[in-house]
Amino acid sequence: METKFLELKKDPEGAIAEAAGLIAAGEVVAFPTETVYGLGADGLQAEAVAKIFAAKGRPADNPLILHIADPEQIHVLTTGLNANARALMETFWPGPLTIVVPRSSVVPDIVTAGLDTVAVRMPSHPVAAALIRAAGCPIAAPSANVSGKPSPTNAKDVAEDMTGKVAAILDGGSCGIGVESTVVDTTSPVPTILRPGGITREMLEDRLGAVEIDPALNGDPALRPRAPGMKYRHYAPKAPLYLYEGEQAALRLTEAVQRSQKLGLHVGVLCDDAVKTRLEESLRRGHRAEIFSWGQGKPDLAEHLYELLRDFDRVSPDFIIGMGVDEKGLGLAVMNRLRKAAGYQILQAEDNTIVIKSGSGFPDLLLTVKE
Ligand code: TXA
Ligand code: MG
């Protein structure tokens, strides 16, 4: 299939009209939202939605979010909204919040993977809103990555995954938030976060009072996440990633990187600007460390995380060492993604050895941080 690259800069109205025409005709189009790029099709045409699953290689048991441009559009999709659902819509829409509500019979089974609920979100990105209006239907859209890869936050990363697989890619520049929307189940007795995202737990609690978090999100393999998508290994770079957490994270990471250089290893480093500067000053010239910084605070980490994980694949390090942040605010969402990307290989300050798993062409290796 030939994939059209539609640039918004040149002719915004023309590009959106063309993309909307393709969606109305049952085709799949990638488009920007304020969180990540989406892979959109007419959410009420089952055959069109099936093309999304094919393009992504997405398991059929993983339901999709329906994107709307006007809160009123939700009523035909659901049999009813409770007070929590209405409060969330009033406070956080448009924006990075998805609500799970009881589904109506209008919604095709393929969208909900057979569940009796449907996930709905009203994005704030002007291009997404204009596209939904022009298409004249709710747009079903997962993130625009091949299943298993980090969600794309710019058109280049979408093109890497989707060229030849979708009718068009609408290039609207970089996404501002960088992690996906928060998914909240409004049908449970206490509203429950099924996926942490752009709207923080603290913001939800301010509005609703008590909010629960799906206990399966801590990575315990014995628990089944209520958002089916959260059970899949996701976001993982090709090289094994080890994550330092806790107060001493920056210090221990610096020591581990210095040690890896003495051993001549090609190490990837994920850290903030301050640690990058310190590392660059302390490492000898000709070092083999690929030091990628996200910038300064949690919003910078959220915005750049997926792009950086993809960049590591482009430089193929032997392994990657990353630095965690606390879980307040956006920290909950970014640490959820980072821990998954690391396959829950978490290091604490007192860990003096890192067992680097084989897989990228060398046998298991023991890195002793301090001798
Ligand atoms: O920010 C976002 O939400 C992006 C942009 C494109 O809007 N979309 C996105 O979609 O992240 P996707 O498909 O990659 O993730 C949707 C998540 C999955 O974990 C899925 O299992 C869950 O939402 N989900 C969808 N419908 C659900 C339902 N009825 N009940 C529980 N979880 C549901
Ligand atoms: Mg996704």
Side-chain angles (χ1 to χ4, degrees):
M1 173 187 296
E2 206 207 313
T3 302
K4 274 202 172 169
F5 210 77
L6 303 172
E7 272 193 67
L8 271 156
K9 258 186 277 166
K10 287 186 189 144
D11 172 19
E13 276 111 67
I16 287 172
E18 189 166 355
L22 288 166
I23 286 183
E27 296 300 330
V28 176
V29 175
F31 65 98
T33 83
E34 71 276 24
T35 57
V36 301
Y37 271 75
L39 208 54
D42 181 341
L44 302 182
Q45 281 187 52
E47 311 84 77
V49 175
K51 293 181 188 169
I52 297 178
F53 282 85
K56 270 186 76 96
R58 183 176 177 104
D61 70 349
N62 193 1
L64 303 181
I65 297 170
L66 290 180
H67 295 67
I68 59 179
D70 181 326
E72 296 299 314
Q73 269 182 294
I74 198 172
H75 297 299
V76 42
L77 307 174
T78 181
T79 52
L81 300 171
N82 61 23
N84 286 329
R86 284 196 301 269
L88 290 175
M89 289 167 58
E90 272 161 28
T91 312
F92 299 111
W93 280 6
L97 178 77
T98 296
I99 58 172
V100 171
V101 298
R103 78 182 262 205
S104 76
S105 57
V106 169
V107 181
D109 281 340
I110 186 168
V111 169
T112 67
L115 298 175
D116 52 13
T117 54
V118 62
V120 185
R121 132 163 157 85
M122 177 174 166
S124 62
H125 196 295
V127 173
L131 179 66
I132 299 163
R133 284 204 186 96
C137 58
I139 295 185
S143 49
N145 50 292
V146 165
S147 272
K149 286 230 236 163
S151 302
T153 52
N154 59 64
K156 174 176 72 86
D157 290 344
V158 176
E160 184 179 84
D161 284 15
M162 289 300 152
T163 302
K165 297 181 183 163
V166 298
I169 297 171
L170 197 50
D171 180 358
S174 294
C175 303
I177 295 175
V179 288
E180 299 88 344
S181 63
T182 305
V183 179
V184 175
D185 186 355
T186 67
T187 68
S188 43
V190 180
T192 305
I193 297 175
L194 306 188
R195 177 179 71 180
I199 297 292
T200 66
R201 167 194 196 159
E202 293 85 347
M203 291 160 83
L204 296 168
E205 283 170 346
D206 275 351
R207 183 64 185 87
L208 299 178
V211 172
E212 280 174 2
I213 301 184
D214 183 353
L217 296 187
N218 66 16
D220 182 344
L223 302 174
R224 196 164 60 122
R226 278 159 57 186
M230 299 303 278
K231 73 171 177 274
Y232 293 104
R233 186 160 174 273
H234 231 133
Y235 318 112
K238 289 192 194 114
L241 166 65
Y242 303 86
L243 200 60
Y244 272 111
E245 293 195 16
E247 307 241 308
Q248 305 282 312
L251 183 67
R252 302 298 282 165
L253 171 132
T254 307
E255 289 166 350
V257 173
Q258 283 164 342
R259 183 77 194 142
S260 75
Q261 293 313 285
K262 293 211 176 91
L263 299 176
L265 294 168
H266 185 204
V267 61
V269 186
L270 177 67
C271 60
D272 66 10
D273 277 349
V275 171
K276 179 177 161 113
T277 305
R278 247 185 287 146
L279 267 175
E280 281 173 344
E281 282 165 3
S282 76
L283 292 177
R284 289 211 203 95
R285 278 212 274 152
H287 66 73
R288 299 187 68 213
E290 313 270 2
I291 310 172
F292 293 172
S293 162
W294 64 72
Q296 293 186 3
K298 288 173 196 163
D300 284 351
L301 172 53
E303 182 176 346
H304 298 296
L305 176 61
Y306 291 149
E307 184 182 305
L308 293 176
L309 291 175
R310 282 178 180 255
D311 285 344
F312 280 122
D313 285 348
R314 295 181 179 121
V315 298
S316 312
D318 296 330
F319 66 106
I320 305 165
I321 309 180
M323 180 178 107
V325 297
D326 71 69
E327 289 185 305
K328 281 184 227 128
L330 271 177
L332 188 68
V334 295
M335 287 312 291
N336 169 264
R337 310 304 194 273
L338 254 180
R339 287 179 183 139
K340 268 192 165 187
Y344 300 95
Q345 303 179 108
I346 316 287
L347 302 167
Q348 302 297 336
E350 58 276 15
D351 294 335
N352 197 37
T353 49
I354 308 178
V355 182
I356 297 162
K357 303 245 174 64
S358 62
S360 38
F362 56 91
D364 280 6
L365 190 125
L366 198 70
L367 184 86
T368 308
V369 180
K370 266 196 174 155
E371 303 236 74

